Amino acid sequence: MRILFIVNYVAGRGRAQKLWPAVWDRVHALAPEAEMVVTAAPRDATRIAREAVDAGYERVVAVGGDGTAMEVANGLLHAGGRTSFAFVPAGAGCDFRRTAGIPADLGAAAELALHGDAAPADVGLVQGEAFLNVAGVGFDAEVAAEDTRLRYQYRSTGTTPYLRAVFRVLWRYRPREMEIEMDGEQIDGRFLLVAVGNAQYYGGGMRITPTASLDDGELDVLLAGDVTIPQTLGLLARIYGGGHLGHPKVALYRCRKLSVRAADGTLAVHRDGESFGETPVSFGVAPHAIQLVYGPELPRPMAFAPRRTHAMRGRAAE
């Protein structure tokens, strides 16, 4: 099997560059035919993945963080399943590996990438571009922008900068009036955030959409309503275990198409923790768009029934 490893040495503020060479020596010993290319700029991984499909590679492996995985998925989005996708988590948060069951250990993940079987997986879409984990509007998008700034300012990785960003944004951001359309039905209200989940996790282990599955052909949409600062702090304390779903101002829906518009002005948008413009914005899902090498540690989706869009009437989650 022709395998290409696409490596982002910038991932994790250099973590990938520090750890990957030793892993690559092991990989090359196990599979001398495997090849490697290092990205040189943002979106480079998307271009390389597309070229790999055209060149007939049977598997492409993203080595880096969630941003690298997202870029490679973008490149494979229209491959028609000809080239399978694997992920070696060498970045900071690496939330995608949690939902996909991929080991955190780089060596174990690399061996899985070499020998694991692939199965269909969905890809989320925002303005037609891929995301793998969670995209969103509002509070978490503001946090994503602040998190990026702090990581560069303090040259740090992991969950600490993200949590610092959460608390900085918490004191200045307030719920906003939004106009939301899901599968053709309207829901309006004042919301802290809209989280659109293809997978379950973001922010370094926050299980924001714990009912999401990578192969169900749908998006899980979490709406956090007009919550106060103390209520937001309470939700944050429960989010890692999925306990936020029981809050009276949190509503969970499931749909295939979603659009969000701010009733007044614009709101920030993110995809997989990276800033992605402003509202108005549309989301969708590409069912079984990629062939993914799943790992053995798949989390079971949480047993909580999302609302179907046909049940929506008027304002919600307030």
Side-chain angles (χ1 to χ4, degrees):
M1 179 166 58
R2 293 187 70 196
I3 303 178
L4 179 66
F5 286 77
I6 301 177
V7 184
N8 178 10
Y9 274 156
V10 178
R13 300 296 296 176
R15 179 174 183 266
Q17 187 171 19
K18 178 180 179 181
L19 299 178
W20 177 247
V23 179
W24 173 246
D25 289 342
R26 181 177 169 186
V27 166
H28 210 243
L30 292 170
E33 73 283 4
E35 300 174 55
M36 182 182 86
V37 62
V38 178
T39 60
R43 293 183 174 265
D44 209 14
T46 298
R47 175 189 59 80
I48 295 168
R50 286 175 181 157
E51 292 174 352
V53 173
D54 293 338
Y57 284 91
E58 296 163 88
R59 178 162 296 173
V60 169
V61 185
V63 181
D66 286 328
T68 309
M70 176 182 65
E71 287 193 15
V72 171
N74 251 312
L76 300 179
L77 192 56
H78 303 294
R82 289 174 291 157
T83 304
S84 58
F85 170 57
F87 179 46
V88 176
C94 294
D95 285 299
F96 183 64
R97 69 117 193 137
R98 303 173 196 272
T99 306
I102 297 168
D105 178 77
L106 268 66
E111 288 198 37
L112 177 68
L114 287 175
H115 305 300
D117 294 326
D122 304 335
V123 172
L125 302 172
V126 52
Q127 301 295 83
E129 294 201 31
F131 69 91
L132 291 173
N133 292 318
V134 181
V137 176
F139 177 80
D140 54 354
E142 294 286 349
V143 171
E146 182 73 8
D147 176 51
T148 299
R149 190 184 69 78
L150 290 175
R151 287 181 191 277
Y152 279 95
Q153 178 179 345
Y154 294 104
R155 302 187 63 81
S156 57
T157 62
T159 60
T160 300
Y162 189 86
L163 291 174
R164 185 185 291 123
V166 166
F167 285 102
R168 285 197 178 191
V169 174
L170 180 65
W171 302 115
R172 68 172 187 256
Y173 187 86
R174 295 297 176 267
R176 294 274 302 276
E177 288 285 343
M178 301 186 199
E179 300 167 357
I180 302 168
E181 185 177 299
M182 296 189 211
D183 288 345
E185 297 194 42
Q186 190 76 22
I187 179 171
D188 301 329
R190 183 177 290 274
F191 299 103
L192 179 74
L193 62 85
V194 179
V196 184
N198 180 57
Q200 297 183 22
Y201 297 88
Y202 72 175
M206 292 183 173
R207 203 177 183 193
I208 183 70
T209 48
T211 60
S213 173
L214 285 171
D215 63 355
D216 64 357
E218 295 183 302
L219 299 168
D220 283 39
V221 181
L222 182 133
L223 307 181
D226 193 6
V227 291
T228 64
I229 290 178
Q231 288 172 331
T232 303
L233 287 170
L235 288 171
L236 289 172
R238 297 159 65 180
I239 201 169
Y240 286 92
H244 59 296
L245 294 188
H247 194 280
K249 291 189 177 181
V250 170
L252 185 66
Y253 297 91
R254 188 166 283 160
C255 67
R256 293 194 174 192
K257 292 182 179 180
L258 168 75
S259 65
V260 181
R261 179 184 299 272
D264 180 23
T266 61
L267 287 163
V269 178
H270 82 93
R271 61 167 180 161
D272 286 352
E274 296 185 1
S275 295
F276 194 74
E278 298 177 329
T279 56
V281 63
S282 61
F283 302 90
V285 61
H288 293 185
I290 58 173
Q291 293 292 314
L292 171 67
V293 179
Y294 290 87
E297 303 170 8
L298 283 170
R300 181 175 298 177
M302 187 173 172
F304 186 97
R307 306 178 196 179
R308 294 288 173 173
T309 53
H310 63 74
M312 297 189 307
R313 293 293 184 269
R315 301 169 72 89
E318 292 193 358

